[in-house]
Amino acid sequence: YEEVVCTIMNTDFTIAVQCENYENRLCWMLSSIAQQIDGSIPITFMIAHRTRKTEIYVRIKEIFSKSGFDIVLTGHDKMALQYRGLIRNIQLGACQTEWMLFSDCDMVYNPQYFELLAKEVTKDEYSDKRDGMLIAGRYSNPIEETNALVDGFSYPQQISAAWDRADVLEKIRRGNVGAGYFQLINMKHCPHGGYYVDPTKCRDRAWYSKDGTSSGMHKTRSDHQFRRRIGKKTRLPQWFSQHQIHLNHMRDNQEGFHLEQVR
């Protein structure tokens, strides 16, 4: 996971994403954030990654620190089994900001995205105590075109004009909000102690048993439970869905597929 802490127009954000096997696409995400119009926005990344991949994240840190990023690296062996909740519990407990954004690590943002988001969340309609989470859809590029685009670069590096390069491709609307999609949490209404009762069952789609294997899985939709606990979900204006692009891919983890491919 990566956690980004930033202050924008007196509105504080933490941006938390997971990253396992998608370091190249992460470079696109970081590039798009580095290329926000307001270049004075201070951003700190706290990156939890597979410990065996520390070297590649050190190289990413070196590259993006030159763009004004403050990056802190922390490895975690549980990333191997996608214990999403275990890392999210840590992020929630450490969050010092008013808002926390959970997002995928393969998103590319319009250069005005966070400037306009900061203005949006200050509006009166988001001050209600029931508005625990703001959500937005997203658009995905077709996988063949996306792979051709992403594979055309060597990594790690900062991709120039990341948004413009992704925006010219065909886009497919995705309206659902899953575990790693856009979930902007008002931390004043979030239980900082975490949302998974048992840290040995912190997998997103189906919880692992205590021995860390797939045997005896519980079919509880844990991320849904988290959203219910936070409170009312409010959808942001359509602009925020239209101006974040998911760099589509096939998932190469234990499932053997990516959710986007089977809808």
Side-chain angles (χ1 to χ4, degrees), residues 63-89:
I63 291 170
F64 285 94
S65 291
K66 297 177 182 178
S67 300
F69 288 90
D70 181 18
I71 300 177
V72 179
L73 302 178
T74 57
H76 205 295
D77 289 334
K78 286 294 186 180
M79 289 289 290
L81 295 176
Q82 293 194 342
Y83 276 69
R84 186 188 304 272
L86 181 63
I87 306 301
R88 281 192 167 186
N89 279 343

PDB file of all heavy atoms in Angstrom, residues 63-89:
ATOM      1  N   ILE A  63      13.439   8.738  -7.814  1.00  0.00           N
ATOM      2  CA  ILE A  63      12.971   9.484  -8.990  1.00  0.00           C
ATOM      3  C   ILE A  63      11.940  10.536  -8.609  1.00  0.00           C
ATOM      4  O   ILE A  63      12.025  11.693  -9.008  1.00  0.00           O
ATOM      5  CB  ILE A  63      12.395   8.510 -10.037  1.00  0.00           C
ATOM      6  CG1 ILE A  63      13.530   7.676 -10.642  1.00  0.00           C
ATOM      7  CG2 ILE A  63      11.624   9.258 -11.121  1.00  0.00           C
ATOM      8  CD1 ILE A  63      13.056   6.532 -11.505  1.00  0.00           C
ATOM      9  N   PHE A  64      10.944  10.149  -7.818  1.00  0.00           N
ATOM     10  CA  PHE A  64       9.852  11.083  -7.531  1.00  0.00           C
ATOM     11  C   PHE A  64      10.182  12.048  -6.407  1.00  0.00           C
ATOM     12  O   PHE A  64       9.532  13.092  -6.293  1.00  0.00           O
ATOM     13  CB  PHE A  64       8.562  10.320  -7.277  1.00  0.00           C
ATOM     14  CG  PHE A  64       7.947   9.786  -8.540  1.00  0.00           C
ATOM     15  CD1 PHE A  64       8.212   8.494  -8.966  1.00  0.00           C
ATOM     16  CD2 PHE A  64       7.139  10.594  -9.331  1.00  0.00           C
ATOM     17  CE1 PHE A  64       7.673   8.018 -10.152  1.00  0.00           C
ATOM     18  CE2 PHE A  64       6.593  10.126 -10.512  1.00  0.00           C
ATOM     19  CZ  PHE A  64       6.865   8.839 -10.931  1.00  0.00           C
ATOM     20  N   SER A  65      11.189  11.754  -5.607  1.00  0.00           N
ATOM     21  CA  SER A  65      11.614  12.727  -4.604  1.00  0.00           C
ATOM     22  C   SER A  65      12.178  13.971  -5.286  1.00  0.00           C
ATOM     23  O   SER A  65      12.101  15.071  -4.746  1.00  0.00           O
ATOM     24  CB  SER A  65      12.669  12.112  -3.676  1.00  0.00           C
ATOM     25  OG  SER A  65      12.102  11.110  -2.863  1.00  0.00           O
ATOM     26  N   LYS A  66      12.710  13.821  -6.485  1.00  0.00           N
ATOM     27  CA  LYS A  66      13.227  14.960  -7.246  1.00  0.00           C
ATOM     28  C   LYS A  66      12.107  15.883  -7.698  1.00  0.00           C
ATOM     29  O   LYS A  66      12.346  17.035  -8.055  1.00  0.00           O
ATOM     30  CB  LYS A  66      14.013  14.467  -8.459  1.00  0.00           C
ATOM     31  CG  LYS A  66      15.252  13.656  -8.107  1.00  0.00           C
ATOM     32  CD  LYS A  66      15.934  13.131  -9.356  1.00  0.00           C
ATOM     33  CE  LYS A  66      17.144  12.270  -8.993  1.00  0.00           C
ATOM     34  NZ  LYS A  66      17.808  11.701 -10.208  1.00  0.00           N
ATOM     35  N   SER A  67      10.857  15.374  -7.679  1.00  0.00           N
ATOM     36  CA  SER A  67       9.708  16.184  -8.083  1.00  0.00           C
ATOM     37  C   SER A  67       9.009  16.805  -6.880  1.00  0.00           C
ATOM     38  O   SER A  67       7.890  17.299  -6.993  1.00  0.00           O
ATOM     39  CB  SER A  67       8.713  15.320  -8.867  1.00  0.00           C
ATOM     40  OG  SER A  67       9.307  14.790 -10.023  1.00  0.00           O
ATOM     41  N   GLY A  68       9.639  16.764  -5.722  1.00  0.00           N
ATOM     42  CA  GLY A  68       9.061  17.358  -4.534  1.00  0.00           C
ATOM     43  C   GLY A  68       8.301  16.394  -3.662  1.00  0.00           C
ATOM     44  O   GLY A  68       7.689  16.789  -2.675  1.00  0.00           O
ATOM     45  N   PHE A  69       8.344  15.099  -3.989  1.00  0.00           N
ATOM     46  CA  PHE A  69       7.657  14.101  -3.179  1.00  0.00           C
ATOM     47  C   PHE A  69       8.524  13.702  -1.990  1.00  0.00           C
ATOM     48  O   PHE A  69       9.733  13.488  -2.133  1.00  0.00           O
ATOM     49  CB  PHE A  69       7.348  12.847  -4.002  1.00  0.00           C
ATOM     50  CG  PHE A  69       6.257  13.034  -5.006  1.00  0.00           C
ATOM     51  CD1 PHE A  69       6.526  13.448  -6.288  1.00  0.00           C
ATOM     52  CD2 PHE A  69       4.950  12.787  -4.656  1.00  0.00           C
ATOM     53  CE1 PHE A  69       5.522  13.615  -7.212  1.00  0.00           C
ATOM     54  CE2 PHE A  69       3.929  12.942  -5.579  1.00  0.00           C
ATOM     55  CZ  PHE A  69       4.218  13.369  -6.855  1.00  0.00           C
ATOM     56  N   ASP A  70       7.901  13.591  -0.837  1.00  0.00           N
ATOM     57  CA  ASP A  70       8.539  13.023   0.336  1.00  0.00           C
ATOM     58  C   ASP A  70       8.002  11.613   0.487  1.00  0.00           C
ATOM     59  O   ASP A  70       6.811  11.429   0.739  1.00  0.00           O
ATOM     60  CB  ASP A  70       8.212  13.877   1.569  1.00  0.00           C
ATOM     61  CG  ASP A  70       8.877  13.351   2.812  1.00  0.00           C
ATOM     62  OD1 ASP A  70       9.837  12.567   2.686  1.00  0.00           O
ATOM     63  OD2 ASP A  70       8.434  13.709   3.919  1.00  0.00           O
ATOM     64  N   ILE A  71       8.840  10.612   0.310  1.00  0.00           N
ATOM     65  CA  ILE A  71       8.383   9.225   0.256  1.00  0.00           C
ATOM     66  C   ILE A  71       9.020   8.421   1.386  1.00  0.00           C
ATOM     67  O   ILE A  71      10.241   8.430   1.553  1.00  0.00           O
ATOM     68  CB  ILE A  71       8.727   8.581  -1.099  1.00  0.00           C
ATOM     69  CG1 ILE A  71       8.050   9.353  -2.238  1.00  0.00           C
ATOM     70  CG2 ILE A  71       8.316   7.117  -1.129  1.00  0.00           C
ATOM     71  CD1 ILE A  71       8.388   8.842  -3.620  1.00  0.00           C
ATOM     72  N   VAL A  72       8.172   7.732   2.145  1.00  0.00           N
ATOM     73  CA  VAL A  72       8.623   6.849   3.218  1.00  0.00           C
ATOM     74  C   VAL A  72       8.266   5.417   2.827  1.00  0.00           C
ATOM     75  O   VAL A  72       7.120   5.140   2.482  1.00  0.00           O
ATOM     76  CB  VAL A  72       7.965   7.215   4.565  1.00  0.00           C
ATOM     77  CG1 VAL A  72       8.429   6.267   5.658  1.00  0.00           C
ATOM     78  CG2 VAL A  72       8.280   8.667   4.929  1.00  0.00           C
ATOM     79  N   LEU A  73       9.234   4.508   2.874  1.00  0.00           N
ATOM     80  CA  LEU A  73       9.015   3.126   2.461  1.00  0.00           C
ATOM     81  C   LEU A  73       8.891   2.205   3.668  1.00  0.00           C
ATOM     82  O   LEU A  73       9.685   2.275   4.596  1.00  0.00           O
ATOM     83  CB  LEU A  73      10.189   2.646   1.602  1.00  0.00           C
ATOM     84  CG  LEU A  73      10.494   3.452   0.335  1.00  0.00           C
ATOM     85  CD1 LEU A  73      11.713   2.865  -0.362  1.00  0.00           C
ATOM     86  CD2 LEU A  73       9.293   3.461  -0.602  1.00  0.00           C
ATOM     87  N   THR A  74       7.874   1.342   3.648  1.00  0.00           N
ATOM     88  CA  THR A  74       7.726   0.319   4.677  1.00  0.00           C
ATOM     89  C   THR A  74       7.305  -0.980   4.003  1.00  0.00           C
ATOM     90  O   THR A  74       6.306  -1.024   3.288  1.00  0.00           O
ATOM     91  CB  THR A  74       6.670   0.711   5.734  1.00  0.00           C
ATOM     92  OG1 THR A  74       5.421   0.963   5.086  1.00  0.00           O
ATOM     93  CG2 THR A  74       7.098   1.950   6.501  1.00  0.00           C
ATOM     94  N   GLY A  75       8.049  -2.048   4.221  1.00  0.00           N
ATOM     95  CA  GLY A  75       7.711  -3.332   3.631  1.00  0.00           C
ATOM     96  C   GLY A  75       6.763  -4.117   4.519  1.00  0.00           C
ATOM     97  O   GLY A  75       6.715  -3.922   5.732  1.00  0.00           O
ATOM     98  N   HIS A  76       5.993  -5.028   3.883  1.00  0.00           N
ATOM     99  CA  HIS A  76       5.063  -5.849   4.649  1.00  0.00           C
ATOM    100  C   HIS A  76       4.886  -7.187   3.939  1.00  0.00           C
ATOM    101  O   HIS A  76       4.432  -7.244   2.801  1.00  0.00           O
ATOM    102  CB  HIS A  76       3.711  -5.153   4.783  1.00  0.00           C
ATOM    103  CG  HIS A  76       2.936  -5.603   5.995  1.00  0.00           C
ATOM    104  ND1 HIS A  76       2.481  -6.887   6.130  1.00  0.00           N
ATOM    105  CD2 HIS A  76       2.571  -4.942   7.112  1.00  0.00           C
ATOM    106  CE1 HIS A  76       1.847  -6.998   7.291  1.00  0.00           C
ATOM    107  NE2 HIS A  76       1.886  -5.834   7.911  1.00  0.00           N
ATOM    108  N   ASP A  77       5.235  -8.278   4.614  1.00  0.00           N
ATOM    109  CA  ASP A  77       5.145  -9.608   4.008  1.00  0.00           C
ATOM    110  C   ASP A  77       3.711 -10.018   3.701  1.00  0.00           C
ATOM    111  O   ASP A  77       3.466 -10.816   2.797  1.00  0.00           O
ATOM    112  CB  ASP A  77       5.775 -10.655   4.927  1.00  0.00           C
ATOM    113  CG  ASP A  77       7.289 -10.518   4.990  1.00  0.00           C
ATOM    114  OD1 ASP A  77       7.870  -9.996   4.016  1.00  0.00           O
ATOM    115  OD2 ASP A  77       7.886 -10.920   6.004  1.00  0.00           O
ATOM    116  N   LYS A  78       2.740  -9.521   4.449  1.00  0.00           N
ATOM    117  CA  LYS A  78       1.349  -9.909   4.242  1.00  0.00           C
ATOM    118  C   LYS A  78       0.796  -9.428   2.903  1.00  0.00           C
ATOM    119  O   LYS A  78      -0.265  -9.859   2.476  1.00  0.00           O
ATOM    120  CB  LYS A  78       0.469  -9.374   5.369  1.00  0.00           C
ATOM    121  CG  LYS A  78       0.631 -10.117   6.690  1.00  0.00           C
ATOM    122  CD  LYS A  78       0.141 -11.557   6.586  1.00  0.00           C
ATOM    123  CE  LYS A  78       0.174 -12.248   7.940  1.00  0.00           C
ATOM    124  NZ  LYS A  78      -0.291 -13.633   7.858  1.00  0.00           N
ATOM    125  N   MET A  79       1.510  -8.513   2.231  1.00  0.00           N
ATOM    126  CA  MET A  79       1.081  -8.098   0.902  1.00  0.00           C
ATOM    127  C   MET A  79       0.984  -9.304  -0.029  1.00  0.00           C
ATOM    128  O   MET A  79       0.243  -9.294  -0.991  1.00  0.00           O
ATOM    129  CB  MET A  79       2.066  -7.079   0.324  1.00  0.00           C
ATOM    130  CG  MET A  79       2.032  -5.716   0.994  1.00  0.00           C
ATOM    131  SD  MET A  79       0.543  -4.798   0.612  1.00  0.00           S
ATOM    132  CE  MET A  79       0.818  -4.429  -1.117  1.00  0.00           C
ATOM    133  N   ALA A  80       1.721 -10.366   0.275  1.00  0.00           N
ATOM    134  CA  ALA A  80       1.721 -11.548  -0.591  1.00  0.00           C
ATOM    135  C   ALA A  80       0.347 -12.172  -0.692  1.00  0.00           C
ATOM    136  O   ALA A  80      -0.020 -12.740  -1.712  1.00  0.00           O
ATOM    137  CB  ALA A  80       2.720 -12.579  -0.077  1.00  0.00           C
ATOM    138  N   LEU A  81      -0.439 -12.069   0.362  1.00  0.00           N
ATOM    139  CA  LEU A  81      -1.762 -12.671   0.369  1.00  0.00           C
ATOM    140  C   LEU A  81      -2.869 -11.626   0.291  1.00  0.00           C
ATOM    141  O   LEU A  81      -4.024 -11.922   0.551  1.00  0.00           O
ATOM    142  CB  LEU A  81      -1.934 -13.522   1.632  1.00  0.00           C
ATOM    143  CG  LEU A  81      -1.020 -14.742   1.722  1.00  0.00           C
ATOM    144  CD1 LEU A  81      -1.219 -15.446   3.056  1.00  0.00           C
ATOM    145  CD2 LEU A  81      -1.268 -15.692   0.579  1.00  0.00           C
ATOM    146  N   GLN A  82      -2.492 -10.391  -0.051  1.00  0.00           N
ATOM    147  CA  GLN A  82      -3.459  -9.304  -0.191  1.00  0.00           C
ATOM    148  C   GLN A  82      -4.300  -9.123   1.064  1.00  0.00           C
ATOM    149  O   GLN A  82      -5.523  -9.078   1.020  1.00  0.00           O
ATOM    150  CB  GLN A  82      -4.363  -9.528  -1.398  1.00  0.00           C
ATOM    151  CG  GLN A  82      -3.629  -9.438  -2.716  1.00  0.00           C
ATOM    152  CD  GLN A  82      -4.580  -9.328  -3.877  1.00  0.00           C
ATOM    153  OE1 GLN A  82      -5.755  -9.637  -3.775  1.00  0.00           O
ATOM    154  NE2 GLN A  82      -4.085  -8.842  -5.005  1.00  0.00           N
ATOM    155  N   TYR A  83      -3.643  -9.039   2.187  1.00  0.00           N
ATOM    156  CA  TYR A  83      -4.351  -8.762   3.424  1.00  0.00           C
ATOM    157  C   TYR A  83      -4.657  -7.263   3.461  1.00  0.00           C
ATOM    158  O   TYR A  83      -4.052  -6.494   4.217  1.00  0.00           O
ATOM    159  CB  TYR A  83      -3.513  -9.187   4.621  1.00  0.00           C
ATOM    160  CG  TYR A  83      -3.642 -10.645   4.970  1.00  0.00           C
ATOM    161  CD1 TYR A  83      -3.131 -11.624   4.133  1.00  0.00           C
ATOM    162  CD2 TYR A  83      -4.299 -11.045   6.132  1.00  0.00           C
ATOM    163  CE1 TYR A  83      -3.254 -12.967   4.443  1.00  0.00           C
ATOM    164  CE2 TYR A  83      -4.430 -12.388   6.456  1.00  0.00           C
ATOM    165  CZ  TYR A  83      -3.911 -13.337   5.611  1.00  0.00           C
ATOM    166  OH  TYR A  83      -4.034 -14.660   5.927  1.00  0.00           O
ATOM    167  N   ARG A  84      -5.603  -6.862   2.645  1.00  0.00           N
ATOM    168  CA  ARG A  84      -5.915  -5.453   2.483  1.00  0.00           C
ATOM    169  C   ARG A  84      -6.278  -4.800   3.811  1.00  0.00           C
ATOM    170  O   ARG A  84      -5.824  -3.706   4.132  1.00  0.00           O
ATOM    171  CB  ARG A  84      -7.073  -5.291   1.493  1.00  0.00           C
ATOM    172  CG  ARG A  84      -7.398  -3.855   1.132  1.00  0.00           C
ATOM    173  CD  ARG A  84      -8.668  -3.788   0.300  1.00  0.00           C
ATOM    174  NE  ARG A  84      -8.582  -4.619  -0.893  1.00  0.00           N
ATOM    175  CZ  ARG A  84      -8.084  -4.196  -2.038  1.00  0.00           C
ATOM    176  NH1 ARG A  84      -7.608  -2.980  -2.145  1.00  0.00           N
ATOM    177  NH2 ARG A  84      -8.061  -4.994  -3.093  1.00  0.00           N
ATOM    178  N   GLY A  85      -7.108  -5.461   4.580  1.00  0.00           N
ATOM    179  CA  GLY A  85      -7.569  -4.876   5.829  1.00  0.00           C
ATOM    180  C   GLY A  85      -6.464  -4.697   6.843  1.00  0.00           C
ATOM    181  O   GLY A  85      -6.471  -3.746   7.624  1.00  0.00           O
ATOM    182  N   LEU A  86      -5.495  -5.600   6.868  1.00  0.00           N
ATOM    183  CA  LEU A  86      -4.388  -5.479   7.811  1.00  0.00           C
ATOM    184  C   LEU A  86      -3.630  -4.182   7.578  1.00  0.00           C
ATOM    185  O   LEU A  86      -3.314  -3.454   8.528  1.00  0.00           O
ATOM    186  CB  LEU A  86      -3.449  -6.677   7.656  1.00  0.00           C
ATOM    187  CG  LEU A  86      -2.248  -6.720   8.588  1.00  0.00           C
ATOM    188  CD1 LEU A  86      -2.711  -6.824  10.033  1.00  0.00           C
ATOM    189  CD2 LEU A  86      -1.337  -7.889   8.234  1.00  0.00           C
ATOM    190  N   ILE A  87      -3.358  -3.869   6.314  1.00  0.00           N
ATOM    191  CA  ILE A  87      -2.644  -2.634   6.001  1.00  0.00           C
ATOM    192  C   ILE A  87      -3.563  -1.436   6.189  1.00  0.00           C
ATOM    193  O   ILE A  87      -3.148  -0.377   6.679  1.00  0.00           O
ATOM    194  CB  ILE A  87      -2.106  -2.665   4.559  1.00  0.00           C
ATOM    195  CG1 ILE A  87      -1.264  -3.909   4.344  1.00  0.00           C
ATOM    196  CG2 ILE A  87      -1.289  -1.416   4.267  1.00  0.00           C
ATOM    197  CD1 ILE A  87      -0.076  -4.036   5.262  1.00  0.00           C
ATOM    198  N   ARG A  88      -4.825  -1.575   5.801  1.00  0.00           N
ATOM    199  CA  ARG A  88      -5.757  -0.460   5.967  1.00  0.00           C
ATOM    200  C   ARG A  88      -5.953  -0.103   7.440  1.00  0.00           C
ATOM    201  O   ARG A  88      -6.109   1.062   7.789  1.00  0.00           O
ATOM    202  CB  ARG A  88      -7.102  -0.785   5.322  1.00  0.00           C
ATOM    203  CG  ARG A  88      -7.087  -0.614   3.817  1.00  0.00           C
ATOM    204  CD  ARG A  88      -8.495  -0.649   3.270  1.00  0.00           C
ATOM    205  NE  ARG A  88      -8.534  -0.188   1.900  1.00  0.00           N
ATOM    206  CZ  ARG A  88      -9.642  -0.014   1.208  1.00  0.00           C
ATOM    207  NH1 ARG A  88     -10.807  -0.270   1.779  1.00  0.00           N
ATOM    208  NH2 ARG A  88      -9.608   0.411  -0.030  1.00  0.00           N
ATOM    209  N   ASN A  89      -5.978  -1.103   8.301  1.00  0.00           N
ATOM    210  CA  ASN A  89      -6.074  -0.814   9.728  1.00  0.00           C
ATOM    211  C   ASN A  89      -4.912   0.068  10.172  1.00  0.00           C
ATOM    212  O   ASN A  89      -5.084   1.013  10.954  1.00  0.00           O
ATOM    213  CB  ASN A  89      -6.074  -2.101  10.531  1.00  0.00           C
ATOM    214  CG  ASN A  89      -7.431  -2.767  10.582  1.00  0.00           C
ATOM    215  OD1 ASN A  89      -8.447  -2.151  10.286  1.00  0.00           O
ATOM    216  ND2 ASN A  89      -7.441  -4.031  10.951  1.00  0.00           N
TER     217      ASN A  89
END
